[in-house]
Amino acid sequence: MNSPAPPLPSPFLVVAAARNGTIGLDGKLPWHLPADLRHFKAMTMGPDNRGRPMIMGRKTFESLPGLLPGRRHIVLTRDPAWAAPGAEVARDLDSALALAGEEAAVIGGGEIYALALPRANRIELTEVHADVPGDTFLPPLGLGWREIARETHDPSGERPGFAFVTLARAL
């Protein structure tokens, strides 16, 4: 008799979103916040700095400046012919989570966040305190989240204020 497969690990989301829900414009972040880039790196490297698997859509992968050092890049795509050096390809979220084999950071885009949100245990959200034009948006988070941490940063020059917020799934 076969043993049941172990449960898939829950992912967590790492996302920066403007007040109006914008997360991207023309395949890029529509703001430049160096502190958010450092925060993203810290969240995806993990507290032990050994790197976490990152799950992302193809467009997000292609928007990166290259492979992000020390982290696995698991790319969800419906294109059966798509491949890229350094990317592990998955056709659905279950396959991506199985490839990760441990808690993975979901890093975008909008469709991938929507797929992962019902299964996520945590959201590491950078709230950008501005309404920003965009073409990619964070899906509504819905009920069932509680804020467990917040670190607020004031605006500086042309850069809007922002906050690093950790949301946990309410039990």
Side-chain angles (χ1 to χ4, degrees):
M1 185 160 115
N2 290 339
S3 299
L8 294 171
S10 294
F12 70 100
L13 278 53
V14 180
V15 59
R19 214 175 12 229
N20 62 338
T22 295
I23 61 173
L25 177 64
D26 297 330
K28 297 184 174 117
L29 290 174
W31 47 75
H32 180 67
L33 297 171
D36 180 49
L37 298 175
R38 289 188 298 275
H39 182 72
F40 174 86
K41 182 177 182 181
M43 292 296 103
T44 57
M45 288 301 290
D48 54 8
N49 212 33
R50 67 175 182 83
R52 299 183 186 277
M54 298 181 305
I55 297 173
M56 67 202 83
R58 177 191 51 79
K59 290 178 188 174
T60 297
F61 178 81
E62 291 173 350
S63 76
L64 297 175
L67 294 175
L68 302 180
R71 291 155 278 187
R72 289 174 55 206
H73 297 67
I74 301 171
V75 179
L76 277 169
T77 179
R78 291 181 290 263
D79 181 349
W82 188 87
E88 300 172 64
V89 178
R91 302 292 177 226
D92 56 51
L93 184 59
D94 281 349
S95 299
L97 292 170
L99 269 174
E102 61 181 290
E103 184 183 54
V106 175
I107 65 166
E111 289 181 45
I112 307 307
Y113 288 133
L115 285 173
L117 189 59
R119 303 199 27 202
N121 60 6
R122 183 172 94 244
I123 301 171
E124 296 294 344
L125 171 65
T126 300
E127 290 179 345
V128 178
H129 300 155
D131 290 320
V132 178
D135 56 20
T136 308
F137 299 90
L138 182 64
L141 300 182
L143 302 175
W145 295 98
R146 62 186 171 85
E147 184 176 312
I148 61 172
R150 175 177 291 268
E151 179 184 316
T152 302
H153 299 263
D154 292 329
S156 175
E158 296 293 315
R159 295 188 177 122
F162 60 95
F164 298 135
V165 181
T166 300
L167 301 172
R169 175 89 51 202
L171 301 175

